[in-house]
Amino acid sequence: MINRRTLLTTALTLGAMKAFPGLSYAQARPLVFATFTGSWEEAHKAVLVPAFRKANADASIVLDPMLSVDQIAKVNAARANPPIDVMLHDPGPALVAIGQDLVEPYPVEKSTYYKDLIAEAQEPMGPAPFFQVVGLTYNPDTVKTAPTSWADLWKPEFKGRVGITNLNSTLGTGWLVEVARMHGGSEANVDPGFKALEALKPNLAAVAANPGALATLFQQGQIDISPGNFNAIQILKARGVPVEFVAPKEGAIAFKTTIHVVKNSPNRDFAFKLIEAALSPEVQTTLMNSPYLIVPTNSKVSMGGEIARVLTKDTAELKKKFVFQDWKKINEQRSAWIERFNREIKI
């Protein structure tokens, strides 16, 4: 099916080929940036893309929002002529993309900002411009006492009002690992987590396809409480949707999000320039502020506003305060967990 985005991309490409007859189709197409859905797409469309265009003579760029697993599948299906130039990944998919030789080393020697990133964000196969934090989100109009633990999702008062995501997302898998840990499991053993999910079924109102869809369920009033990404709900809050975030007593989950140049990209130079814009203090400062509230990694950006009030005053505190999971260990069994979840967790 040809959608509006496909038509727009094709029109831009044909225009470029007409202006420069020597270009092939792959060379002529706009830069394609695969971001995440929901608040990520909105933040990048409003801040990162305009910053890139301003610095690069209004160069053509197309946002293609999708989950990391779908980005990897698309690039894998067309390695010699990839349909994506820049991929965005959480830790698990990043290891997969690197392991499958789908991304290029980042040209660190050319970068203006790489050296300013905190040490944990300096990834030579793709730097990390952002941190994400997963905790509990809830509707304060219907949940009068703020939750304090992952275990609160199982309370009888939330029968039919809990939302979760499937395991294709880092949110879903990371949360399952913490549920398993709460019952004696770990990254190597999530059986206790699946047993707990079985007990959660009476409370489940929805299993969302991704974190963006989960946030939308709050807006539609279909759920009252869920595990959730801190930044995913901030745009909803700015629109007046009643939703709050709290770190559970077991510890909120933190992980970095990396950005990569796809191997064999025909737009390698523009891909580098887009990533440079994402690492710049100007873009990271804007994305840190309302309504986006994305945790920055450039050491020249001081934590401020709602992030400093609710999450952490600096990266040293973030590293000490939050739970960081072993995604290399998780990846060893993640595909099997996804299949099991899709087979067993239905409402």
Side-chain angles (χ1 to χ4, degrees):
M1 178 184 293
I2 298 176
N3 56 29
R4 184 171 176 273
R5 178 179 292 132
T6 302
L7 287 171
L8 177 61
T9 302
T10 302
L12 289 169
T13 301
L14 292 176
M17 293 178 72
K18 186 176 180 180
F20 304 99
L23 292 178
S24 69
Y25 180 86
Q27 290 169 325
R29 68 165 172 75
L31 179 74
V32 178
F33 171 31
T35 182
F36 299 147
T37 58
S39 60
W40 287 96
E41 179 186 5
E42 292 191 41
H44 288 155
K45 184 177 179 181
V47 179
L48 178 55
V49 168
F52 164 77
R53 283 183 168 144
K54 183 179 180 181
N56 294 283
D58 206 26
S60 295
I61 178 171
V62 173
L63 278 177
D64 197 1
M66 69 185 88
L67 289 169
S68 284
V69 291
D70 298 325
Q71 297 178 34
I72 289 171
K74 271 193 161 186
V75 173
N76 236 329
R79 284 170 170 262
N81 186 19
I84 296 169
D85 301 296
V86 178
M87 292 197 287
L88 194 66
H89 290 312
D90 295 335
L95 290 171
V96 173
I98 294 168
Q100 295 185 359
D101 197 26
L102 300 180
V103 300
E104 295 191 353
Y106 194 65
V108 173
E109 70 285 353
K110 292 169 51 181
S111 175
T112 301
Y113 305 111
Y114 187 86
K115 66 181 186 306
D116 294 331
L117 302 179
I118 62 172
E120 290 77 7
Q122 293 187 15
E123 293 284 356
M125 292 303 292
F130 321 108
F131 269 111
Q132 292 191 59
V133 177
V134 172
L136 286 158
T137 54
Y138 67 99
N139 181 340
D141 287 350
T142 55
V143 180
K144 297 303 181 184
T145 302
T148 60
S149 166
W150 298 124
D152 288 347
L153 298 173
W154 279 260
K155 285 183 173 179
E157 67 204 62
F158 298 130
K159 185 177 181 179
R161 301 303 300 168
V162 174
I164 61 174
T165 69
N166 63 33
L167 301 196
N168 285 335
S169 68
T170 300
L171 166 61
T173 298
W175 176 70
L176 175 63
V177 169
E178 291 315 296
V179 172
R181 203 190 309 280
M182 195 167 60
H183 295 280
S186 66
E187 285 95 335
N189 175 23
V190 297
D191 283 346
F194 273 104
K195 187 176 180 181
L197 281 183
E198 189 65 31
L200 185 64
K201 281 182 178 177
N203 281 15
L204 288 180
V207 179
N210 54 61
L214 186 68
T216 300
L217 292 174
F218 279 102
Q219 188 172 19
Q220 296 171 341
Q222 296 186 38
I223 59 175
D224 290 332
I225 187 169
S226 77
N229 288 78
F230 174 74
N231 64 294
I233 68 167
Q234 301 306 326
I235 290 178
L236 292 182
K237 284 186 68 174
R239 292 173 181 160
V241 177
V243 62
E244 293 290 345
F245 175 95
V246 64
K249 66 182 182 184
E250 294 85 4
I253 307 163
F255 52 89
K256 55 193 173 187
T257 297
T258 50
I259 189 166
H260 306 265
V261 179
V262 174
K263 194 168 188 177
N264 299 324
S265 162
N267 290 310
R268 187 180 291 108
D269 288 343
F270 277 140
F272 169 73
K273 290 174 180 176
L274 175 69
I275 295 174
E276 282 292 283
L279 304 182
S280 70
E282 293 80 11
V283 166
Q284 292 208 3
T285 297
T286 303
L287 290 177
M288 181 186 68
N289 292 321
S290 181
Y292 309 111
L293 301 184
I294 294 174
V295 181
T297 59
N298 190 311
S299 61
K300 293 187 175 180
V301 179
S302 299
M303 303 286 188
E306 193 74 356
I307 286 178
R309 187 183 73 81
V310 177
L311 293 182
T312 178
K313 67 179 187 300
D314 54 35
T315 50
E317 185 184 60
L318 183 140
K319 287 185 283 186
K320 182 179 178 182
K321 186 175 176 183
F322 295 98
V323 174
F324 290 84
Q325 299 172 325
D326 184 347
W327 280 92
K328 186 176 180 181
K329 178 63 70 178
I330 290 172
N331 276 1
E332 292 174 3
Q333 302 184 72
R334 190 180 181 191
S335 295
W337 297 350
I338 292 173
E339 290 180 13
R340 180 177 175 183
F341 182 92
N342 292 340
R343 187 174 61 250
E344 296 182 4
I345 309 303
K346 296 176 180 175
I347 58 174

